[in-house]
Amino acid sequence: MDIDQVIDKSRRLEDLLRQHYHAKGTDFTQLVHSCDNRFPDDIVNKLNKIATIRQQIMMTDTSMSASNDYQHFIDLCAECEQELMPRSSRLVWGVAAVLLGGITLAALGFYLYHWQHITL
């Protein structure tokens, strides 16, 4: 087990909460409680579980490389990070693709129609 990895994973979640969800607080638990009304209950429960496991891992000074707590912590962090990461919706990407295609087709049509009148 690498304590640095535990700290890194929890800091990444803290940064996500602060930057994208405007969480306020000094520790992970306060950050979760300051914005828990924005998340579904299962995400809040996972974040609280992460805070509890992190506290246990940081307080225990023994090697926990084979520990289920450590692996559970890593898995929960990956799940929560995936859920909390902002994503563009399919609608936004669809509108962008339609606009790009429409403008390209309009330009192509314009040049095909006026090509014989263009003199260089």
Side-chain angles (χ1 to χ4, degrees):
M1 176 186 82
D2 190 11
I3 295 293
D4 293 334
Q5 189 175 13
V6 171
I7 293 170
D8 183 50
K9 294 268 188 197
S10 58
R11 288 253 168 96
R12 287 174 67 178
L13 286 173
E14 288 175 4
D15 290 342
L16 272 173
L17 290 172
R18 282 190 184 108
Q19 291 173 0
H20 298 289
Y21 298 99
H22 308 292
K24 305 242 184 287
T26 56
D27 66 348
F28 191 75
T29 307
Q30 289 176 356
L31 292 172
V32 171
H33 288 299
S34 71
C35 62
D36 62 356
N37 58 348
R38 298 179 182 176
F39 305 129
D41 289 336
D42 62 330
I43 299 295
V44 173
N45 291 338
K46 287 178 185 178
L47 289 170
N48 286 330
K49 187 86 164 164
I50 287 171
T52 303
I53 294 173
R54 177 182 178 257
Q55 194 68 20
Q56 290 172 353
I57 290 173
M58 297 303 283
M59 292 299 171
T60 307
D61 215 12
T62 60
S63 175
M64 298 178 65
S65 60
S67 172
N68 288 337
D69 283 344
Y70 178 72
Q71 189 58 45
H72 189 59
F73 175 82
I74 298 299
D75 294 341
L76 281 174
C77 283
E79 290 174 19
C80 286
E81 190 171 343
Q82 183 179 9
E83 290 287 330
L84 295 177
M85 189 68 70
R87 319 180 273 277
S88 296
S89 68
R90 289 184 181 175
L91 176 67
V92 171
W93 286 109
V95 169
V98 167
L99 282 174
L100 182 65
I103 291 170
T104 303
L105 287 175
L108 181 65
F110 176 81
Y111 282 114
L112 285 176
Y113 182 75
H114 293 289
W115 186 254
Q116 69 262 11
H117 303 295
I118 297 175
T119 58
L120 298 177

